[in-house]
Amino acid sequence: RRHLARHDPDRAALHPQRCLTGPGVSVNRDLPIVQLRMYSQWVLTIASRLDVMNRLGRAMADPTRSRILLTLLDGPGYPAELARDLDLTRTNVSNHLTCLRGCGLIVATPEGRRTRYEIADPHLTQGLRQLLEAVVAVDVGVPCMDETCTCCA
C-alpha cells in the first residue's frame, strides 16, 4: 500500500514514519513526491523543492554517479553490466547505486538472483535529458573554486 504525507513537507521528508496517512489525502501537486523504502513497502512523501535540489546535487556531484545516471538514461541496468560497461568494480558500483537510491533518483527491482536498477520517475529522466541540453555560461580564464576540479581546465 502507498501512503502520502499529510502535513509539513520538510518533516515528511525527514520523518516518513511519522507522516503516514490513509487513503483520500489531498496533496499539493506543486511539490515533488519522494519515494522512501520502509520495510517491504514504498512510502511516498512530499519533499521540499530544496530537498530535491540537494538530492540531485549530491547525486550528480560525483563523476561516477553521473556516469551511472547517464547510462541509466538509456534504460534499466544491472550492477555487473554497469561495472563492466563503466570499467568499475562491482563494489564501487554497488556503493554508488546505494547512494543514488538513498537520494531517491533510482529504484531497484529484484529479478530472481539479479537486481534491475532504473531511474525512479519518467519526469526525472526527461529533466536530466533536458539538463544535458542546457548551455552553461562559463567565464573564460576564471579558475574554478574547487582546486581539484578538472571540468574547467
Side-chain angles (χ1 to χ4, degrees):
R1 296 188 330 176
R2 292 176 184 240
H3 301 277
L4 296 176
R6 180 186 346 210
H7 48 25
D8 182 15
D10 293 323
R11 284 193 55 201
L14 297 175
H15 305 290
Q17 66 277 12
R18 296 183 192 164
C19 301
L20 302 180
T21 62
V25 175
S26 80
V27 176
N28 181 347
R29 294 291 177 203
D30 294 335
L31 295 174
I33 295 177
V34 175
Q35 288 185 338
L36 298 173
R37 181 83 175 176
M38 290 185 61
Y39 307 106
S40 63
Q41 299 176 342
W42 284 105
V43 178
L44 296 177
T45 64
I46 299 174
S48 71
R49 292 177 185 210
L50 180 60
D51 182 50
V52 171
M53 292 298 290
N54 289 337
R55 288 168 183 268
L56 286 169
R58 178 177 180 205
M60 294 188 298
D62 184 88
T64 301
R65 287 194 292 270
S66 291
R67 290 174 59 205
I68 291 172
L69 280 173
L70 287 172
T71 303
L72 294 178
L73 279 177
D74 295 331
Y78 299 88
E81 294 170 3
L82 290 168
R84 182 194 66 226
D85 295 346
L86 300 174
D87 196 29
L88 301 166
T89 65
R90 287 186 184 189
T91 302
N92 192 1
V93 168
S94 177
N95 289 336
H96 286 293
L97 289 170
T98 299
C99 177
L100 291 169
R101 282 182 66 195
C103 288
L105 303 183
I106 64 171
V107 293
T109 306
E111 293 181 345
R113 301 176 95 194
R114 297 173 24 153
T115 302
R116 183 183 74 228
Y117 289 86
E118 59 190 324
I119 297 189
D121 186 77
H123 294 98
L124 183 57
T125 302
Q126 181 182 10
L128 289 170
R129 285 193 174 130
Q130 289 178 348
L131 185 62
L132 292 173
E133 299 295 322
V135 175
V136 180
V138 178
D139 291 332
V140 177
V142 177
C144 185
M145 299 297 288
D146 183 1
E147 296 174 3
T148 62
C149 177
T150 59
C151 70
C152 305

